[in-house]
Amino acid sequence: MPDIAGTNGYILSNEITKNGKNWTPNVGFYQQLRGISVVSGNIRDLSPKIKSFVEQNIDLCHPERIHICDGTEKENNQLIQLMQQQGTIVPLPKYQNCWLARTNPADTARVESKTFICTDERSETIPTPKNGIKGTLGNWMSPKQMDEAIKERFIGCMRGRTMYIVPFSMGPITSPLSKIGIELTDSPYVVASMRIMTRMGAPVLQKLQKDDFVKCLHSVGAPASGFIENPSWPCDPERTIILHKPQNNEIVSYGSGYGGNSLLGKKCFALRIGSTIAKREGWLAEHMLILGITNPQGEKKYIAAAFPSACGKTNLAMMTPSLPGYKVECVGDDIAWMRFDKNGQLRAINPENGFFGVAPGTSTKSNPIAMNTVYKNTIFTNVASTSDGGVFWEGMEDEIQPGVAITDWKGQKWTKDSSTPAAHPNSRFCTPASQCPIIDPEWEAPEGVPISAILFGGRRPVGVPLVYEARDWQHGVFIGAAMRSESTAAAEHKGKVIMHDPFAMRPFFGYNFGHYLKHWLSMETRSSNLPKIFHVNWFRKGTEGKFLWPGFGENSRVLDWILRRLDYEDCGVDTPIGIIPRKDSV
Ligand code: GTP
Ligand code: SPV
Ligand code: MN
C-alpha cells in the first residue's frame, strides 16, 4: 500500500515500497535531480534542455520528490487512488471509471483580471492609439514585474509535494502542425486532466529529444498564512496569477487548480502563446470549434466557429441536426490551429485530445452526443451528485429517477426547492474526444481538415439577427472585430453585461489586438480561395425574456442556409450589415 506523508506528500512509487527489488536506481536508492528523489520515470529520458528547465524549478519550488509522467493507465490509476485518499475526487459508481472533483468554492473559473502577458514594451501587448486614448484589451506586465510576481509566490511553494513532469503534445504527435510543451505541476488533478485533454507521456518525451518545447510551470500554491482551509483542493485565490512570456515561450501559473488556469495546454499555450507563435509563423490560433457537415446529397464541408466561453461551441460541434438528411461530425469543440496549405486551402487541426465542456444545460434533449460521451473515463468537476452514484446538473431534471437524492457541488443536500443551483454554473466534464460517438474520421489527420466557412457569434439578447454573411474577407474581419457577447460563468465577471469580445479571443490574445487584426487581414494575400465568413446569434430574446430561437439541433437550419450560400445559391439579400436570408429561405 502507498504511504501518505503529511497532507500533500505521498510516495507515488510502485516498486520502491515493495523492498526495492524491481528498482534499478542510478544513484543511491533513487535517481536524484538536484538531490531530490525521482520516484517515477527515468531522468535519462529527459533531454538536456528539459533537465535544466526542471532543475531550475526544483531550485525555485523545493518539491519533496519528482515524478516523470509516462501517461500509462497504471500511472493514472495510482493518481486516481492518491486523489481519492486526499479527498480531491470521489468515484461515481453508476458509470465506468468516472470521478467527481469538488473544488474550493473560491476556485471555480478562469480569472481574467489576474492573467497577464509579459513583454518588454506595453504596446506589444495592448493596443496603444497615438491620440492618447487608453487601450484596455489585455493585461500587461513588464519582465521585472513578472520576476517579482514569481519570487513572491513560488519560492518553496512545492514543499512536501510531488512535482510532476508532464510532457504533452498539442495536436497529434505525428502532425507537422503540432507543438510540444512540458508542464511542471504539483497537482495530481492537473496531471490526470492533462492526460485526457492532451497527448501526454512517454511518446512525447521521445519526440522531445530533438524538438523545442513551451515551458509551463504550475503550482496550486498555498495561502501566505500557510493555512490550507480545504486540503482536498489546495489553492491560493488571493494571490492567483497567470503569466505568459511569449518571447521565451513561457507560461507560469500560480494559485488555481481550475480549468484554463491550470491545464496550461489549453488557453495559455494553444491560444495565448499559440497566437504569438502563429503570428510569427504565419498561421492562426483561434478559440474555435471545428465540425464536419454532410448535406442530404452526401457533400461534406468543414466549418470553424468562434463563440465566446460558454456560448455554444461544444453544442454546435456535437449537434444532432433536426433537418432530415444532415449529418454533423466533430473535429474539436474549443480550439482550432489553422493555416493555408500550398494550394491556398485553409486547413485546421484541433490541438486538444479531449473536451472540457460546460455541464449545465447539457441533456439528452439538448446534446445527446455529449451525454453519450461522458459516461466513461470522465472527470467531472463541481457538478452535483446523486444517491445512486451518478451526476446531476441544471438541465438534467427529466433524467433522474424518482426517489434519488441529490448532493450539490458543495457537498450539501439539495432539492428542487433549494435557492442555489445544484451544480456550479461553470461545472465541467473532462472527457476523451475519441469517445465521442460522432468524432470525425479525419479528426487526427496530420494535415488538418479543409475549412470552407468561418462563423462568429455570441450571446446577443437584442438587435442582432439569427445569421448574416460578410460581403468579403475584410468585412468578415470587421465582423469578428466588432463581436460582443453577454458575460458568462466561465470567468469571474459578475452579472450579465454585454462586453466586447473580438473573435471570441478577448481573454486569450497573446499580443496586441491591433497587430492581430493586421495578421487576419493579411490572410487575403495568402489565398484566392478564402473561407466565407458569417455571423450567427442563437441567443436573441423576446419581450418576455425567453429565447426566440429553439437553438441546438435546430441550428442545422442555419448551417443549411450557410452551405447553400457556399454553393452560391441565391437565397440571400444584401442589407447594410451584410447578406441576410431571403424571406422563407431558412
Ligand atoms: P467553453 O467551453 O466555455 O468555451 O463554452 P462553449 O462555447 O463550448 O459553450 P457550450 O456549448 O458548452 O454551451 C454553453 C451553454 O450554452 C450550455 O449551457 C448550453 O446548453 C447552452 N447552449 C449551447 N447552444 C445553445 C443554443 O443553441 N441555444 C441555447 N439557448 N443555449 C445553448
Ligand atoms: C473557456 O472558458 O473558454 C473554456 C473553459 O473553454 S477553460 O478551460 O476554463 O478556459
Ligand atoms: Mn473555451
Side-chain angles (χ1 to χ4, degrees), residues 170-186:
M170 297 313 290
I173 294 178
T174 55
S175 169
L177 307 187
S178 298
K179 304 272 175 202
I180 288 178
I182 303 269
E183 177 163 350
L184 310 182
T185 178
D186 54 8

Side-chain angles (χ1 to χ4, degrees), residues 7 20 86 446 477:
T7 45
Q86 294 178 335
V477 173

Side-chain angles (χ1 to χ4, degrees), residues 205-487:
L205 272 188
Q206 258 157 41
K207 194 174 174 190
L208 269 169
Q209 296 300 332
K210 290 195 292 294
D211 293 22
D212 209 356
F213 59 94
V214 172
K215 301 187 205 88
C216 310
L217 171 63
H218 170 252
S219 172
V220 293
S225 67
F227 176 66
I228 296 182
E229 193 183 297
N230 179 352
S232 66
W233 190 273
C235 58
D236 188 4
E238 303 250 304
R239 294 194 296 167
T240 293
I241 200 159
I242 325 286
L243 305 165
H244 310 71
K245 200 185 234 179
Q247 204 183 346
N248 300 359
N249 283 341
E250 186 184 352
I251 301 159
V252 178
S253 165
Y254 174 90
S256 164
Y258 203 80
N261 297 336
S262 69
L263 313 179
L264 301 187
K266 202 175 179 50
K267 305 296 162 140
C268 299
F269 179 165
L271 291 180
R272 296 195 193 98
I273 295 294
S275 65
T276 67
I277 299 174
K279 171 84 178 5
R280 279 200 298 274
E281 298 181 353
W283 50 280
L284 299 166
E286 301 299 330
H287 192 203
M288 291 182 183
L289 68 93
I290 310 163
L291 64 82
I293 178 161
T294 309
N295 71 9
Q297 291 73 49
E299 292 151 359
K300 182 167 186 180
K301 291 211 162 73
Y302 289 94
I303 295 176
F307 310 153
S309 301
C311 291
K313 289 184 299 303
T314 303
N315 280 270
L316 191 67
M318 295 181 193
M319 185 224 282
T320 306
S322 62
L323 274 189
Y326 269 98
K327 182 165 89 174
V328 164
E329 288 163 295
C330 175
V331 176
D333 80 328
D334 200 49
I335 298 174
W337 282 358
M338 305 192 289
R339 67 172 85 198
F340 289 99
D341 68 15
K342 59 180 189 311
N343 304 318
Q345 172 64 56
L346 187 64
R347 289 190 169 271
I349 64 164
N350 168 14
E352 301 193 278
N353 194 40
F355 308 121
F356 187 66
V358 177
T362 312
S363 68
T364 309
K365 238 196 235 147
S366 67
N367 191 347
I369 302 294
M371 296 303 271
N372 285 332
T373 307
V374 300
Y375 291 142
K376 54 184 186 199
N377 310 317
T378 299
I379 302 174
F380 295 89
T381 303
N382 288 343
V383 302
S385 57
T386 59
S387 52
D388 60 346
V391 291
F392 177 80
W393 50 71
E394 280 56 35
M396 273 181 81
E397 291 79 3
D398 296 341
E399 306 186 21
I400 50 163
Q401 309 298 317
V404 166
I406 294 171
T407 304
D408 75 8
W409 68 281
K410 291 182 174 172
Q412 307 295 316
K413 248 179 96 165
W414 185 91
T415 67
K416 285 190 178 104
D417 303 321
S418 299
S419 58
T420 49
H424 186 281
N426 191 40
S427 55
R428 300 250 168 186
F429 50 79
C430 179
T431 195
S434 60
Q435 286 180 191
C436 176
I438 58 161
I439 197 75
D440 192 80
E442 294 296 307
W443 84 283
E444 296 190 284
E447 71 283 8
V449 297
I451 298 296
S452 301
I454 293 174
L455 276 45
F456 294 119
R459 289 179 182 261
R460 297 301 298 270
V462 288
V464 177
L466 182 61
V467 57
Y468 60 100
E469 178 188 331
R471 278 181 212 100
D472 53 29
W473 185 258
Q474 274 195 19
H475 183 212
V477 173
F478 168 78
I479 290 172
M483 275 169 70
R484 301 177 74 204
S485 194
E486 216 173 46
S487 54

